């Protein structure tokens, strides 16, 4: 017994014309009519016969191979939709499971830190593995010197002079005088002194008083820049350059820079000299410099291009200078927490100018052409906690890390 929709295809031995029979009389009549049309012209031209044959086959194809009904399409998507929902549930379960495991791991890590477990992990990472290479460092060996108040306040006075000159250069109408600036600074000191120092019977040390002075001066600087709507980035660039040169002039009597023939080695040696100078003045308590990779140093030194070269190979040398116990650290952090971007960074400004001396024909912080090549020196500062702890509430900044990049393009 055949299904009602099962086609019966018969081929005539003479004409090879398919005919179909089903319970649908229309299909049966269509096949018979096409067969009769072919039999009416048994001796016609072959081209006409082929054209009619192609037309008949096209008609049969359109009649037999009908598109899928809408019910069949709905059945197909009904089968696929549950699979999509199952996949979505599996992915959601995996993500939630990972989040739960991460929370459990974080709680266990904090519990371990609270009980002082894993002491080896909590030790400061000094000579650790980094990119498959062991980091090497040069550290300060001498003790910190006594705090030099004369030199420290001389640096702050140079900041006042630089601010007045740079500020007035960008003001066409009003003029800022030294008396007006000092009056604003004194008013600020009276207002914020009680909140700056904790309520204790202990008298602030000289270093703490100097830190407070720096905070007050630079807070007034920033407030004036905001009030007068001064373009900050050009002002910052000029201010740091002026202050750096002034500090370098103040330190020339006791700061003897390296005089090596190789400019790169001269810059690296001068970095140590600047750090040691800050240590001797009591500005920092210790310092630590990373030793750049030998391959980077060699590539930088040998990448000097002659005038006949048509292209140059870019190379750069990266190293860091860690300044521990900076006496202006608290004022730097407080100012930045208030949203101000101008803060006392005497070590970075002095180092910038010293590196400028090592590359006299180059630019510091910007590209400067010279003898067919460009050298760029960029110094960025970061704040680090040298001891590891999983609890963010116990994070305490103890170090200013200067990241130094000397690049030859």
């Amino acid at each position: 017994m055949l299904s009602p929709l099962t086609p019966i295809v018969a081929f005539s031995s003479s004409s090879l014309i398919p005919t179909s029979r089903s319970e649908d009389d229309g299909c049966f009549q269509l096949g018979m009519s096409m067969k009769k049309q072919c039999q009416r012209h048994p001796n016609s031209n072959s081209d006409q016969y082929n054209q009619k044959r192609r037309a008949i086959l096209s008609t049969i194809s359109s009649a037999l191979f009908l598109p899928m009904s809408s019910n069949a399409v709905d059945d197909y998507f009904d089968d696929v939709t549950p699979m999509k929902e199952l996949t979505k549930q599996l992915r959601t379960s995996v993500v939630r499971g990972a989040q739960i495991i991460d929370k459990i791991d974080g709680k266990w890590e904090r519990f371990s830190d609270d009980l002082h477990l894993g002491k080896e992990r909590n030790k400061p990472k000094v000579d650790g593995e980094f990119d498959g290479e062991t980091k090497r460092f040069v550290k300060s060996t001498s003790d910190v010197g006594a705090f030099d108040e004369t030199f420290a306040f001389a640096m702050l006075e140079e900041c006042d002079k630089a601010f007045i000159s740079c500020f007035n250069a960008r003001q066409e109408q009003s003029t800022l005088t030294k008396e007006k600036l000092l009056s604003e600074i004194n008013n600020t000191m009276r207002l914020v002194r009680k909140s700056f120092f904790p309520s204790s019977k202990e008298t602030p040390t000289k270093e703490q008083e100097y830190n407070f002075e720096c905070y007050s001066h630079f807070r007034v600087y920033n407030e004036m820049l905001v009030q007068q709507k001064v373009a900050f980035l050009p002002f910052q660039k000029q201010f740091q350059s002026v202050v750096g040169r002034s500090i370098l002039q103040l330190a020339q009597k006791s700061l003897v820079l390296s005089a090596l023939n190789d400019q790169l080695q001269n810059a690296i040696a001068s970095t140590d000299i600047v750090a040691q100078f800050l240590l001797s003045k009591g500005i920092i308590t210790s310092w630590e410099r990373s030793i750049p990779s030998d391959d980077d140093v060699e590539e930088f030194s040998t990448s000097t291009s002659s005038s006949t070269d048509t292209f140059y190979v870019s190379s750069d040398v990266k190293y860091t200078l860690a300044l521990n116990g900076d006496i202006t650290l608290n004022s730097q952090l407080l100012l930045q927490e208030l949203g101000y971007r101008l803060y006392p960074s005497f070590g970075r400004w002095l180092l910038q100018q010293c590196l400028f001396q090592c590359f006299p024909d180059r630019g510091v912080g910007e590209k400067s052409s010279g003898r067919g090549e460009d050298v760029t020196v960029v110094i960025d500062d970061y704040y680090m906690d040298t001891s590891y702890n999983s609890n963010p509430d116990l994070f305490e900044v103890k170090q200013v890390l200067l990241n130094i990049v000397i690049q030859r393009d």
Side-chain angles (χ1 to χ4, degrees):
M1 183 64 181
L2 297 175
S3 173
L5 297 179
T6 304
I8 302 175
V9 182
F11 293 92
S12 173
S13 60
S14 60
S15 60
L16 295 178
I17 301 300
T19 60
S20 61
R21 181 176 181 179
S22 67
E23 292 185 356
D24 188 351
D25 296 337
C27 293
F28 175 75
Q29 293 176 0
L30 176 63
M32 294 301 294
S33 62
M34 289 187 292
K35 182 177 180 182
K36 290 180 181 179
Q37 290 178 3
C38 293
Q39 290 176 350
R40 288 175 186 174
H41 305 280
N43 298 321
S44 61
N45 188 277
S46 61
D47 294 338
Q48 296 178 356
Y49 176 78
N50 292 332
Q51 292 177 0
K52 291 182 179 180
R53 182 175 180 273
R54 285 195 293 268
I56 293 170
L57 292 174
S58 177
T59 305
I60 294 173
S61 299
S62 61
L64 292 178
F65 303 101
L66 298 175
M68 185 182 296
S69 64
S70 59
N71 292 333
V73 174
D74 294 339
D75 294 340
Y76 171 77
F77 282 106
D78 288 342
D79 294 339
V80 174
T81 302
M83 184 61 66
K84 290 184 177 180
E85 293 295 332
L86 179 61
T87 304
K88 182 179 179 180
Q89 292 178 3
L90 288 174
R91 292 179 178 177
T92 303
S93 300
V94 171
V95 173
R96 289 180 178 175
Q99 292 175 345
I100 293 174
I101 294 175
D102 185 66
K103 289 181 180 179
I104 295 175
D105 181 68
K107 291 181 179 180
W108 171 256
E109 190 175 9
R110 183 171 297 185
F111 174 76
S112 177
D113 291 336
D114 293 341
L115 296 181
H116 304 287
L117 303 176
K119 295 181 179 179
E120 292 296 328
R121 181 194 62 185
N122 295 338
K123 288 183 178 179
K125 305 299 186 297
V126 177
D127 293 331
E129 292 292 330
F130 181 76
D131 291 341
E133 297 182 0
T134 302
K135 296 182 68 174
R136 299 171 298 168
F137 293 89
V138 176
K139 303 179 182 180
S140 57
T141 56
S142 59
D143 297 332
V144 58
F147 177 57
D148 192 340
E149 287 187 87
T150 303
F151 177 77
F153 280 96
M155 290 193 300
L156 195 56
E157 185 177 357
E158 293 298 330
C159 289
D160 291 343
K161 295 179 181 179
F163 180 80
I164 293 173
S165 63
C166 296
F167 184 84
N168 290 333
R170 286 166 171 75
Q171 297 294 317
E172 298 180 356
Q173 298 179 355
S174 60
T175 302
L176 178 63
T177 62
K178 183 178 180 180
E179 291 74 14
K180 183 178 180 180
L181 177 63
L182 293 179
S183 176
E184 292 291 336
I185 293 173
N186 292 331
N187 292 335
T188 300
M189 293 179 65
R190 286 194 297 269
L191 290 174
V192 303
R193 185 177 182 84
K194 291 183 178 180
S195 60
F196 189 88
F197 292 105
S199 56
S200 61
K201 298 181 180 179
E202 297 181 359
T203 303
T205 62
K206 296 179 180 179
E207 292 82 358
Q208 293 175 342
E209 286 287 352
Y210 181 72
N211 180 51
F212 174 64
E213 289 272 356
C214 291
Y215 171 79
S216 302
H217 281 243
F218 278 83
R219 177 168 176 169
V220 172
Y221 298 166
N222 286 278
E223 290 175 350
M224 287 187 172
L225 293 176
V226 173
Q227 291 173 0
Q228 298 299 324
K229 299 180 180 179
V230 178
F232 180 74
L233 292 180
F235 177 89
Q236 181 189 37
K237 183 178 179 181
Q238 182 183 7
F239 177 81
Q240 293 178 356
S241 179
V242 173
V243 173
R245 289 195 299 267
S246 301
I247 297 176
L248 183 59
Q249 292 178 356
L250 291 174
Q252 280 183 346
K253 295 182 180 180
S254 54
L255 181 63
V256 181
L257 298 178
S258 176
L260 300 176
N261 294 329
D262 185 271
Q263 290 182 337
L264 178 60
Q265 295 297 336
N266 192 22
I268 296 175
S270 297
T271 303
D272 296 347
I273 295 174
V274 170
Q276 190 62 32
F277 171 77
L278 296 174
L279 181 66
S280 64
K281 294 296 182 179
I283 306 298
I284 61 175
T285 57
S286 63
W287 60 270
E288 181 180 273
R289 176 183 62 82
S290 65
I291 300 176
S293 171
D294 295 336
D295 294 337
D296 292 343
V297 173
E298 183 179 0
E299 182 180 356
F300 184 91
S301 301
T302 58
S303 64
T304 305
S305 305
S306 61
S307 59
T308 59
D309 292 339
T310 57
F311 63 91
Y312 313 115
V313 179
S314 176
S315 61
D316 56 357
V317 174
K318 302 177 183 178
Y319 62 98
T320 60
L321 176 64
L323 304 178
N324 300 315
D326 191 332
I327 60 175
T328 63
L329 183 59
N330 290 337
S331 61
Q332 295 182 41
L333 297 175
L334 287 174
L335 289 168
Q336 293 182 75
E337 287 177 358
L338 293 174
Y340 298 135
R341 292 182 290 171
L342 188 63
Y343 49 87
S345 185
F346 301 120
R348 176 164 59 89
W349 299 339
L350 178 59
L351 181 59
Q352 282 181 339
Q353 291 303 315
C354 290
L355 295 183
F356 180 82
Q357 299 292 330
C358 299
F359 299 96
D361 298 330
R362 311 297 188 267
V364 176
E366 59 182 6
K367 292 185 178 179
S368 176
S369 299
R371 293 199 298 271
E373 58 193 18
D374 295 332
V375 172
T376 305
V377 179
V378 179
I379 303 177
D380 297 317
D381 50 2
Y382 301 90
Y383 300 96
M384 310 294 292
D385 185 353
T386 54
S387 60
Y388 172 80
N389 195 294
S390 60
N391 190 350
D393 297 334
L394 300 179
F395 178 80
E396 181 182 2
V397 177
K398 302 175 183 177
Q399 181 186 93
V400 179
L401 184 67
L402 302 180
N403 186 64
I404 306 164
V405 180
I406 303 176
Q407 182 175 4
R408 186 195 302 278
D409 295 332

